[in-house]
C-alpha cells in the first residue's frame, strides 16, 4: 500500500493521472474492429453476387468470419512479450509442419500443400504467415540497430528456409507474401542505403536464376501471359482478358448489384476468389471500387498509427510488418486482376471466398491489437 501511495503521489506531483480505458482492459481496438466489420459486411455482399447468389457460400464465409473475430480476440489477449518469448518454438514447429507437407502432405490440383488430420485438413503455410513477422521481429529487437551484416544474413536465413519449402509445394503466391512479411521487418529495422542498393543489384542475376532453375512451366506461362495476354486469348490469357472486360464495362457507377454479366454468365473464371474485385468493378463501377479502397486505406492507416504508438521496438517491427503485408495482399490482388502484375493466386482480403486466409488475417490483426493495448501504464495530462 505504501508503494502504491508513493506512485500515486509521484504522478500527482508531476501533473499526471493513471488511466486504463476499455481498450486496454479488454485488449480490443474498437475502431479497428469496427472497420473490419464494415469490410466483412461489404465482402459478403460482393461474394453473394460473385458466387451466383449462393447463400451456402455466404453462410460458410460468415462462419469463418465469426471464427476469425473470436480468434482475433483471443490472440489480442496474448501480450507481445509472450509472443516474443515463444517465437523460436513457433518457428521450429512451423518448419517441422512444412517438412511434413513434403513427405506426407495431401495433393490437390497439382499442389501438395495440406496435412490431413482425423477431423480437419489444414495448410501449414498459413500458420507461417503469422509466425514469420513474429520471429524476425523478436530476433532483430534483441540486436543493435541498424542490423549488422551478420544479423542480416541470419535474418535472411530465417526467412529463406520457410520460403523455399513453401515454393516447393508449389505455392509461389504464399511464399512471396511470407518472404515480404519478413523483409518488411528487416527494412523497418533500418537497413543502410548501400545494403539496399546492393540487394537491388543482386536481384537482377537472382531473377535470371529463379526463372531458369526454380520456376515451373505453368509459373513461367503466367508471367508470359501477363506480358502479352492476347497471345493466348482462349487459353492462359482468358482470365486476364475477361477480367479487364468486366472492369472496363462497369464504367463509373457500374451495372448494378447482381447485374454483372461477365461473372453471372461464367465468362469470368474464379469470380468469387482471386478475381472477385472484377465483379465489384462491373456491378458498382469505379465508385464502388473507390469506396472499398477507402475502407482498406482506413484499416492500413490505423495499422500505421498503432505502429507509431508501439511502446517497444518488437511491437513497432511486428505491427509495421503486419500492416505492410496487409497492403501487399491488396496491391498484388488488384494488380493481377487489372493486368498490372502476373497472376499468383493471392485473394482479396475479407472479400474473396476462403476461410484459412481470412482466419489468418484476423489473427494478424489480433497481434496488432495486442501491441496497441498491452501497456504497463498509460498517462494522461490533467
Amino acid at each position: 500500500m505504501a508503494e502504491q501511495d508513493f506512485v500515486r503521489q509521484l504522478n500527482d506531483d508531476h501533473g499526471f493521472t493513471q488511466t486504463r480505458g476499455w481498450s486496454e482492459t479488454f485488449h480490443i481496438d474498437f475502431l479497428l474492429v469496427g472497420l473490419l466489420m464494415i469490410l466483412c459486411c461489404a465482402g459478403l455482399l460482393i461474394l453473394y453476387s460473385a458466387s451466383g447468389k449462393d447463400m451456402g457460400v455466404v453462410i460458410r464465409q460468415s462462419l469463418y468470419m465469426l471464427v476469425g473475430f473470436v480468434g482475433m480476440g483471443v490472440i489480442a489477449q496474448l501480450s507481445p512479450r509472450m509472443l516474443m518469448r515463444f517465437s523460436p518454438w513457433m518457428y521450429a514447429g512451423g518448419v517441422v509442419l512444412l517438412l511434413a507437407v513434403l513427405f506426407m502432405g495431401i495433393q490437390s490440383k497439382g499442389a501438395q500443400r495440406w496435412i490431413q488430420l482425423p477431423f480437419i485438413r489444414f495448410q501449414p503455410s498459413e500458420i507461417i504467415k503469422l509466425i514469420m513477422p513474429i520471429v524476425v521481429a523478436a530476433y532483430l529487437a534483441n540486436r543493435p540497430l541498424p542490423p549488422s551484416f551478420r544479423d542480416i544474413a541470419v535474418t535472411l536465413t530465417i526467412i529463406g528456409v520457410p520460403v523455399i519449402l513453401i515454393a516447393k509445394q508449389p505455392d509461389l503466391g504464399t511464399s512471396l507474401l511470407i518472404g515480404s512479411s519478413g523483409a518488411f521487418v528487416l527494412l523497418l529495422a533500418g537497413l543502410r542505403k548501400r545494403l539496399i542498393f546492393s540487394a537491388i543489384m543482386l536481384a537482377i542475376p537472382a531473377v535470371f536464376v529463379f526463372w531458369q532453375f526454380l520456376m515451373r512451366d505453368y509459373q513461367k506461362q503466367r508471367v508470359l501471359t501477363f506480358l502479352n495476354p492476347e497471345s493466348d486469348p482462349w487459353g492462359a490469357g482468358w482470365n486476364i482478358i475477361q477480367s479487364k472486360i468486366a472492369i472496363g464495362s462497369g464504367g463509373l457507377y457500374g451495372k448494378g448489384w447482381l447485374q454483372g454479366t461477365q461473372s453471372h454468365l461464367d465468362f469470368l473464371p474464379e469470380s468469387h476468389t482471386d478475381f472477385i474485385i472484377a465483379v465489384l468493378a462491373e456491378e458498382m463501377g469505379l465508385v464502388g471500387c473507390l469506396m472499398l479502397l477507402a475502407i482498406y486505406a482506413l484499416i492500413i492507416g490505423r495499422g500505421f498509427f498503432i505502429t507509431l504508438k508501439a511502446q517497444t521496438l518488437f511491437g513497432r517491427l511486428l505491427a509495421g510488418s503486419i500492416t505492410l503485408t496487409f497492403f501487399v495482399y491488396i496491391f498484388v490482388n488488384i494488380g493481377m486482376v487489372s493486368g498490372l502484375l502476373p497472376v499468383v493466386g493471392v485473394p482479396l482480403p475479407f472479400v474473396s471466398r476462403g476461410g484459412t486466409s481470412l482466419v489468418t488475417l484476423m489473427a494478424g490483426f489480433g497481434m496488432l491489437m495486442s501491441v496497441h493495448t498491452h501497456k504497463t501504464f498509460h498517462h494522461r495530462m490533467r
Side-chain angles (χ1 to χ4, degrees):
M1 289 296 296
E3 183 179 352
Q4 293 178 356
D5 292 338
F6 173 76
V7 173
R8 188 180 300 109
Q9 183 63 42
L10 183 65
N11 287 334
D12 291 340
D13 291 342
H14 288 82
F16 293 103
T17 57
Q18 191 169 1
T19 63
R20 184 177 177 87
W22 289 100
S23 180
E24 285 81 6
T25 301
F26 296 100
H27 303 294
I28 299 296
D29 186 276
F30 294 103
L31 177 57
L32 184 58
V33 170
L35 290 170
L36 290 175
M37 285 183 173
I38 294 172
L39 180 59
C40 286
C41 290
L44 290 176
L45 288 174
I46 301 168
L47 182 61
Y48 177 70
S49 177
S51 63
K53 305 178 186 179
D54 188 341
M55 278 302 300
V57 172
V58 175
I59 291 173
R60 284 193 296 272
Q61 188 77 352
S62 301
L63 292 176
Y64 280 123
M65 288 178 178
L66 179 60
V67 172
F69 274 110
V70 172
M72 180 176 65
V74 171
I75 290 178
Q77 310 307 309
L78 305 177
S79 68
R81 183 178 299 177
M82 181 178 295
L83 294 174
M84 188 175 182
R85 182 184 306 165
F86 288 99
S87 60
W89 300 104
M90 291 189 289
Y91 180 80
V95 171
V96 169
L97 288 174
L98 291 178
L99 289 172
V101 170
L102 293 181
F103 293 103
M104 50 184 293
I106 302 298
Q107 287 194 2
S108 177
K109 297 181 180 180
Q112 188 169 320
R113 305 172 184 173
W114 296 270
I115 291 179
Q116 182 70 52
L117 297 179
F119 301 103
I120 190 174
R121 187 177 76 168
F122 71 100
Q123 194 171 342
S125 58
E126 294 293 334
I127 301 175
I128 297 294
K129 286 182 183 179
L130 296 175
I131 296 175
M132 181 59 71
I134 298 174
V135 69
V136 176
Y139 176 77
L140 292 176
N142 289 321
R143 301 294 186 279
L145 298 182
S148 64
F149 181 80
R150 177 184 177 277
D151 290 335
I152 293 173
V154 173
T155 301
L156 292 178
T157 302
I158 293 172
I159 298 171
V161 171
V163 167
I164 293 173
L165 291 175
I166 294 170
K168 288 177 68 66
Q169 294 179 359
D171 192 350
L172 181 60
T174 301
S175 64
L176 290 175
L177 286 172
I178 291 173
S180 63
S181 68
F184 285 140
V185 178
L186 193 57
L187 288 173
L188 291 169
L191 285 182
R192 294 181 176 88
K193 293 181 179 179
R194 60 184 178 85
L195 290 176
I196 297 176
F197 178 77
S198 300
I200 295 174
M201 297 304 296
L202 288 174
I204 298 174
V207 169
F208 174 78
V209 173
F210 189 73
W211 177 272
Q212 290 291 335
F213 303 105
L214 298 178
M215 289 188 70
R216 303 200 177 194
D217 291 338
Y218 78 93
Q219 293 170 338
K220 293 180 181 180
Q221 186 60 48
R222 286 180 176 180
V223 176
L224 296 174
T225 301
F226 155 69
L227 296 174
N228 185 20
E230 286 75 16
S231 63
D232 188 11
W234 302 103
W238 175 265
N239 289 8
I240 293 297
I241 293 173
Q242 296 302 316
S243 177
K244 288 181 177 180
I245 292 173
I247 293 172
S249 64
L252 185 60
Y253 299 107
K255 299 176 180 178
W257 187 50
L258 305 177
Q259 302 302 314
T261 56
Q262 294 299 112
S263 59
H264 290 284
L265 296 178
D266 295 329
F267 285 103
L268 182 64
E270 306 296 336
S271 59
H272 59 292
T273 53
D274 295 346
F275 287 82
I276 196 168
I277 198 170
V279 178
L280 174 65
E282 183 181 23
E283 297 186 351
M284 300 298 179
L286 178 62
V287 173
C289 290
L290 290 177
M291 291 176 64
L292 180 66
L293 291 176
I295 300 173
Y296 280 135
L298 290 172
I299 294 173
I300 292 170
R302 186 61 180 173
F304 284 133
F305 175 82
I306 292 173
T307 301
L308 293 174
K309 293 294 182 179
Q311 290 186 324
T312 64
L313 176 60
F314 171 75
R316 286 193 294 273
L317 295 176
L318 178 60
S321 175
I322 292 172
T323 304
L324 288 171
T325 304
F326 181 66
F327 167 78
V328 169
Y329 263 96
I330 302 164
F331 179 81
V332 171
N333 178 271
I334 296 177
M336 71 180 192
V337 170
S338 57
L340 299 176
L341 294 173
V343 177
V344 292
V346 175
L348 187 63
F350 301 101
V351 179
S352 296
R353 177 187 177 183
T356 307
S357 62
L358 189 150
V359 174
T360 302
L361 283 168
M362 286 288 197
F365 282 110
M367 292 191 293
L368 199 64
M369 290 193 294
S370 171
V371 169
H372 186 52
T373 60
H374 280 86
K375 301 177 181 179
T376 54
F377 57 86
H378 174 70
H379 281 125
R380 176 176 56 85
M381 286 292 294
R382 282 180 178 174

